[in-house]
Amino acid sequence: MPTNAPAAPTPPAPPVRGLHHFAWRCRDSEETRRFYEDLLGLPLAHVIESDHVPSTGEYCPYVHIFFRMRDGAYIAFFDLGDDTAALPSPNTPAWVNHIALRVDSVADLLAAKARLEAAGVAVLGVTDHHIIESIYFFDPNGIRIELTTPTVPQSEMDAHARSARASLDAWTARKAKRRSAKGTADA
């Protein structure tokens, strides 16, 4: 058997059509339902209750709840019945890990902000990101949520997409240079 045989070509990746669901742990499924269904307007669409995890078979009683977004995707939560929320990552600032949900317009964004604030939810923003405008807040589980709306035409986003790889390559080079300089300084 030759050791220098050419590698088999990598088959193309299957098309990913979109987000089905994002799942996170919640402290209390009813508290979470009130927030996502009653306040944000995402209908509770499905509930799975089980004593065993289907993928691993391990015993862990849970309820898995799904809230449907208008594009057909879901945000979902696991209530493990112990009134414990997921812990934030100790090495990551609170603003980094979040889920961004799109609304149709700046008017919708402002209406959501007013509704959240009227319900006692602290809201940061409106923040202008030059291609989107966003507001930020935390759900009852400590998950940072961003509501956002595009503010530029698709042609501008297409232009950004054409330069995205070059921008990432430049960042990667600068990061390597900083790491290298830091390593030299530490020596």
Side-chain angles (χ1 to χ4, degrees):
M1 181 177 273
T3 57
N4 294 337
T10 303
V16 175
R17 298 291 179 203
L19 176 70
H20 183 273
H21 70 275
F22 169 90
W24 202 257
R25 182 178 184 169
C26 70
R27 179 180 54 224
D28 179 84
S29 54
E30 175 54 20
E31 173 186 57
T32 300
R33 187 213 56 80
R34 282 192 308 270
F35 186 84
Y36 283 92
E37 186 170 43
D38 295 348
L39 188 56
L40 291 184
L42 301 178
L44 178 65
H46 191 59
V47 176
I48 299 169
E49 186 176 350
S50 184
D51 287 337
H52 291 86
V53 179
S55 59
T56 66
E58 68 187 279
Y59 177 76
C60 183
Y62 68 87
V63 67
H64 194 17
I65 58 176
F66 294 77
F67 301 92
R68 185 179 171 98
M69 294 180 274
R70 290 192 180 181
D71 69 354
Y74 301 86
I75 184 165
F77 296 88
F78 286 96
D79 182 340
L80 304 182
D82 60 4
D83 296 323
T84 302
L87 296 175
S89 175
N91 71 343
T92 304
W95 55 267
V96 172
N97 294 333
H98 67 282
I99 184 163
L101 307 174
R102 190 181 77 217
V103 297
D104 287 333
S105 66
V106 172
D108 286 345
L109 191 66
L110 294 172
K113 177 180 168 89
R115 181 175 172 84
L116 288 159
E117 289 175 336
V121 176
V123 178
L124 177 65
V126 171
T127 302
D128 182 357
H129 294 290
H130 308 293
I131 59 167
I132 57 174
E133 289 189 7
S134 303
I135 60 173
Y136 299 90
F137 50 95
F138 288 90
D139 84 349
N141 306 294
I143 299 170
R144 190 172 200 224
I145 306 293
E146 174 184 2
L147 290 183
T148 190
T149 190
T151 56
V152 298
Q154 186 59 45
S155 59
E156 186 170 333
M157 293 308 299
D158 294 344
H160 287 299
R162 288 190 294 274
S163 65
R165 181 57 192 258
S167 295
L168 182 59
D169 289 347
W171 162 260
T172 301
R174 287 191 306 274
K175 179 180 167 183
K177 187 174 181 178
R178 281 194 308 273
R179 292 176 77 197
S180 176
K182 184 179 180 201
T184 305
D186 292 341

